[in-house]
Amino acid sequence: MTGPRQDTRGIVEAGELFSRVDFRRREPAPALRPFLEHYWLIDWDLPEPYATHVVPHPSVNMVFQRYGDEEPWAEVAGIGLELFTQKLTGSGRVCGVQFRPGGFRPFAPERPVSHWTGRRVPLHPAPRSPGPESVPASAPEPAPLPVSVPEPAPLPVSPEGVRAVVEPDDEDARVAALDALLLGLGPHPAAVDRSLRAVALVDRVRTDRSIRRVDELASAEGVSARSLQRLFAEQVGVGPKWVILRYRIHEALERAESGREPDWASLADELGYSDQAHLVRDFTATVGVPPTAYGRPTGG
């Protein structure tokens, strides 16, 4: 590892976002790097509301946030299955922890990671009105658990711990507070081996263009497709097919962001789609506009 990744994969209209907010990525402490992608820090002071859109990674995030003068709060955000939209208003700050796909379980080993998929769970009681709108763009919120079975906080983080992360204006102090907090939570040794195996498998999907189907990944690893699916449910939170498809869309989205019109037919073949129409359908369903319209100037 030579530093946080620099790509914009998953961020819709990344240039527009970066022109409105101060967005940075920072490396975690060395002991955390096998499990964490990076920390992501956002500060903003906006004259008018602005909505951000993200095609989620197959990653769990811990998100520490403060909006205006409200009390800071934090949550665990499981993998989002739909396009995610967050409306930013006024001023605020977010300090996020993006776990590697497969890297969250050693910090919350009591439940499979699939339990948190589609959920956003406060790490302690949140304020009455926790900041701006923050909802999936096209999917309903997951149904609440029965009243008799309250949702447990996945990680023991106190309000004081949240304030230690969010309140310092010194960015290095925020990163140090995140390091201290995460190192205090894990990783739990008994959960490390299977987690790192899942991390390696997802990384192979992300980087090896020859992996286009679940059976190809299973064969390459010498395991059954069923055991691969169990591992992904326990450690990643979504199935291997979902991960393969999501990374296809991330690649197409970044190509569309490059400023040059891609050859969509060639890209569809490169990414393993049956034809260009299949890529167009997936892209449109995920991002909300067809790839040929994405990134065109709107006059705004």
Side-chain angles (χ1 to χ4, degrees), residues 66-254:
R66 185 187 69 197
Y67 301 98
D69 296 328
E70 292 185 1
E71 182 71 13
W73 64 292
E75 64 183 355
V76 164
I79 296 171
L81 300 179
E82 305 288 341
L83 181 69
F84 182 78
T85 295
Q86 180 153 323
K87 184 178 178 182
L88 304 178
T89 61
S91 62
R93 171 179 294 166
V94 175
C95 304
V97 179
Q98 183 172 327
F99 288 85
R100 294 185 184 281
F104 179 68
R105 187 75 185 270
F107 297 83
E110 295 81 8
R111 294 176 182 267
V113 180
S114 58
H115 176 81
W116 310 112
T117 298
R119 296 175 182 263
R120 303 182 67 193
V121 182
L123 294 179
H124 59 83
R128 185 180 300 273
S129 299
E133 294 179 26
S134 180
V135 295
S138 58
E141 289 288 340
L145 293 179
V147 173
S148 59
V149 186
E151 180 69 70
L155 298 168
V157 178
S158 69
E160 293 76 20
V162 175
R163 286 193 290 271
V165 169
V166 174
E167 290 187 346
D169 289 329
D170 181 342
E171 183 177 310
D172 290 339
R174 282 183 254 167
V175 170
L178 285 168
D179 282 343
L181 189 149
L182 268 295
L183 289 169
L185 294 172
H188 291 268
V192 164
D193 287 348
R194 283 181 67 78
S195 170
L196 292 180
R197 185 182 180 204
V199 168
L201 285 169
V202 176
D203 193 58
R204 181 168 188 172
V205 171
R206 178 163 52 183
T207 59
D208 186 346
R209 294 286 180 78
S210 70
I211 301 295
R212 298 180 174 185
R213 300 197 312 270
V214 174
D215 60 345
E216 292 173 344
L217 180 61
S219 176
E221 294 296 319
V223 298
S224 69
R226 188 176 184 85
S227 66
L228 196 65
Q229 289 162 349
R230 284 198 299 268
L231 178 68
F232 271 61
E234 293 170 5
Q235 304 294 330
V236 181
V238 290
K241 180 178 179 180
W242 192 94
V243 174
I244 291 170
L245 293 174
R246 180 48 49 94
Y247 281 140
R248 285 180 179 179
I249 293 298
H250 277 183
E251 177 70 18
L253 186 62
E254 188 165 54

Side-chain angles (χ1 to χ4, degrees), residues 263-282:
D263 180 336
W264 293 106
S266 295
L267 182 58
D269 181 67
E270 180 183 337
L271 295 178
Y273 283 96
S274 56
D275 53 32
Q276 181 178 344
H278 189 185
L279 168 59
V280 169
R281 287 195 300 271
D282 270 8

Side-chain angles (χ1 to χ4, degrees), residues 47-66:
E48 58 186 22
Y50 172 69
T52 69
H53 307 281
V54 176
V55 178
H57 288 253
S59 298
V60 176
N61 284 259
M62 288 178 66
V63 189
F64 301 78
Q65 41 211 319
R66 185 187 69 197

